[in-house]
Amino acid sequence: MIEFSTNGKTFASGTLTFNVAGLSNKQNLAAAYYNETTQRFEFLPAAYNADQGTLSFTTTHNSKYVLIDKKSWEQTFRAHLSTVVDGTYKPYIDFAFIIDSSGSMRDTDPKNLRKTAVTSLVYGLKYDAASPLKTETVTVAKSVYEEEKGYYFEYPTVTNQVYSLSDRAAIIDFDTKARTYATFSAHSSTVTGAVYHIDSDGGTNIFAGVREAVRLYDTYGDNGQRKIALLLTDGQNNFATTPDDLNMLKEAFEKGITIITMGLSKDADISLLKQIAEYTGGMYFQVQTAEDLEAYFKSALENSYHEDKDKDGLDDFYEKTAGMMLENGMLIRTSTDPLTGKDTDGDGFTDLEEMGEPVDMVITADMMPEGNALVGQTVKVFKNFKSLPTDKNDVPKP
């Protein structure tokens, strides 16, 4: 935020120049000010000088100005638009369970309670029993034993009759490498049968699991469904994080894939798990023991649906998982407790009173990179943001 003032003196125009050479996003930056009358950002012609590493723009009045990364703005809008069809929320979800099967799980989850937790959730996925039945085809792992080969996996396809309006789930196992044990299916027993192939052997290649999930959504995902992945690990990533890995997270976010991460035990790679969640609009849970897994999985699942359990007028999914979007693309999240989070910071003002009512905003050409397909679409944003609902010292001004 840049506040420009001439201490009451009048002027015809002035040019402001900023050194942006050290910024990685410098070529995407645009200059704007917030017009209080029209209640929208007004963009100003800006020139980037590659030789000097500067960005300049000219103004004719005092105001507060911001430099906005249009590419980041686009990514945020795209991810939020991925949850709606024709202006209404997509009611059903494609869940990808990305489950750690490394050797350390023998100690942190000796009773295989992570399998019990996933199984419980799969049997609790939502569906519309009044919707027509349809035939689905699923690729699912099958353990085979042959005298010469010992145990190995085959991956046959199976067909099921399922409700046409339903959540679906897929199972991904990762250790040193990742493998899909069941592609997306609305058939609970097919998915839960695949869960029990998860073992406890090998290293921890977290990004192999994430990459497999992105591939799964690309190949088998349904664009009529929302996309939420739940990643569980108990250890440190044994493989170096590369720029390609981080770019993949950004691409996942642009495709509308939200990744909720869970660290089991204090030895989990907490920093990386938080980064994965942050990059993809998800949230991070710290799980102390395997006995707590089912409760945390359940909480993550409940926060994935469009509901308002604390009756504060805000959608739980955006409030606690994806983030509530301000007009400038900033995301704000509140309490992860769906029942007692009406006033997250306990300052006497509800989260809705602090955020203000969400309103529809049409994406215009000046807000997006040139030729962008999002222009003309409508997103819900919080234009009347008053104070941060997670900071009791930040309260609405009178």
Side-chain angles (χ1 to χ4, degrees), residues 220-251:
Y220 299 99
D222 183 340
N223 287 330
Q225 309 263 106
R226 286 167 48 222
K227 304 169 184 176
I228 298 180
L230 289 89
L231 168 66
L232 169 69
T233 185
D234 72 333
Q236 298 288 315
N237 194 35
N238 296 151
F239 297 77
T241 301
T242 68
D244 283 345
D245 293 329
L246 299 180
N247 286 334
M248 177 187 60
L249 294 179
K250 293 177 182 178
E251 290 169 8

Side-chain angles (χ1 to χ4, degrees), residues 86-373:
D86 298 329
T88 60
Y89 291 131
K90 297 178 182 178
Y92 297 103
I93 303 172
D94 277 350
F95 289 101
F97 292 96
I98 312 170
I99 307 300
D100 189 340
S101 65
S102 61
S104 58
M105 280 291 184
R106 287 193 293 268
D107 296 321
T108 53
D109 185 20
K111 298 179 182 178
N112 285 318
L113 296 178
R114 65 195 187 281
K115 300 181 187 181
T116 305
V118 173
T119 297
S120 176
L121 290 192
V122 170
Y123 276 112
L125 296 181
K126 294 186 176 182
Y127 60 88
D128 181 357
S131 64
L133 291 173
K134 69 174 184 180
T135 301
E136 68 165 19
T137 302
V138 185
T139 300
V140 59
K142 178 182 179 183
S143 180
V144 178
Y145 177 79
E146 289 185 7
E147 195 68 40
E148 300 81 11
K149 296 182 179 180
Y151 283 101
Y152 68 97
F153 283 112
E154 292 181 352
Y155 295 88
T157 58
V158 298
T159 58
N160 303 310
Q161 290 293 300
V162 297
Y163 292 111
S164 53
L165 297 180
S166 178
D167 291 338
R168 304 190 304 169
I171 303 299
I172 297 170
D173 163 297
F174 76 92
D175 40 62
T176 304
K177 60 182 181 179
R179 55 202 78 68
T180 294
Y181 284 155
T183 56
F184 291 109
S185 171
H187 196 263
S188 298
S189 61
T190 294
V191 178
T192 56
V195 169
Y196 285 89
H197 292 311
I198 297 171
D199 60 5
S200 301
D201 187 37
T204 305
N205 189 346
I206 292 175
F207 276 103
V210 175
R211 194 174 300 279
E212 179 65 5
V214 173
R215 184 196 70 81
L216 206 61
Y217 281 114
D218 286 344
T219 307
Y220 299 99
D222 183 340
N223 287 330
Q225 309 263 106
R226 286 167 48 222
K227 304 169 184 176
I228 298 180
L230 289 89
L231 168 66
L232 169 69
T233 185
D234 72 333
Q236 298 288 315
N237 194 35
N238 296 151
F239 297 77
T241 301
T242 68
D244 283 345
D245 293 329
L246 299 180
N247 286 334
M248 177 187 60
L249 294 179
K250 293 177 182 178
E251 290 169 8
F253 183 69
E254 290 180 37
K255 293 174 179 178
I257 301 171
T258 298
I259 304 178
I260 298 170
T261 58
M262 293 187 186
L264 175 59
S265 87
K266 60 181 176 55
D267 296 322
D269 203 332
I270 296 173
S271 176
L272 179 59
L273 293 175
K274 287 182 176 180
Q275 186 178 37
I276 291 171
E278 179 182 343
Y279 268 56
T280 60
M283 61 195 304
Y284 169 74
F285 290 91
Q286 177 64 50
V287 186
Q288 298 302 321
T289 67
E291 283 71 18
D292 299 324
L293 276 173
E294 187 162 356
Y296 276 93
F297 267 108
K298 183 179 180 182
S299 178
L301 190 75
E302 289 178 344
N303 286 337
S304 298
Y305 291 107
H306 290 296
E307 298 177 293
D308 182 15
K309 289 190 175 180
D310 56 11
K311 305 301 181 187
D312 63 357
L314 298 171
D315 188 303
D316 292 343
F317 172 69
Y318 290 109
E319 190 177 5
K320 307 170 199 315
T321 303
M324 296 173 287
M325 185 166 57
L326 303 186
E327 189 186 19
N328 63 2
M330 178 181 175
L331 297 174
I332 293 177
R333 296 181 182 86
T334 61
S335 168
T336 58
D337 186 339
L339 296 177
T340 61
K342 191 170 185 177
D343 177 10
T344 297
D345 53 17
D347 60 3
F349 298 94
T350 68
D351 295 343
L352 178 62
E353 287 174 325
E354 298 200 62
M355 290 299 300
E357 292 280 353
V359 298
D360 288 337
M361 183 180 76
V362 177
I363 299 173
T364 56
D366 55 3
M367 297 164 64
M368 292 289 104
E370 188 174 350
N372 194 274

